[in-house]
């Protein structure tokens, strides 16, 4: 079962130091809890050098 979680987050671009609010949808190929989805979203944003605060799943 696939699962998608729309979310908003405030991210900081580590290159410029600027903060911005982003909205997107995280897609998973397996069942994940909201907490696990929030962790995966946070980890992916860190990997992109855009750490986030206030990640909110909006569904």
């Amino acid at each position: 079962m696939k699962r998608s979680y729309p979310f908003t987050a405030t991210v900081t671009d580590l290159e410029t130091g600027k903060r911005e609010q982003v909205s997107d949808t995280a897609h998973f190929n397996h069942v994940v809890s909201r907490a696990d989805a929030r962790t995966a979203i946070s980890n992916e944003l860190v990997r992109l050098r855009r750490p986030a605060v206030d990640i909110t799943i909006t569904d």
Side-chain angles (χ1 to χ4, degrees):
M1 173 188 236
K2 294 185 179 184
R3 181 73 171 125
S4 297
Y5 287 100
F7 69 92
T8 60
T10 303
V11 299
T12 302
D13 186 325
L14 293 180
E15 302 297 322
T16 64
K18 293 183 180 178
R19 282 190 165 191
E20 65 179 315
Q21 184 147 354
V22 296
S23 296
D24 203 349
T25 301
H27 301 281
F28 299 91
N29 290 328
H30 53 282
V31 177
V32 293
S33 68
R34 291 172 67 89
D36 288 343
R38 194 173 294 118
T39 299
I41 292 164
S42 176
N43 290 343
E44 180 63 13
L45 290 169
V46 167
R47 189 187 70 76
L48 296 172
R49 298 188 44 78
R50 299 184 73 191
V53 295
D54 300 328
I55 297 172
T56 304
I57 294 179
T58 57
D59 68 339

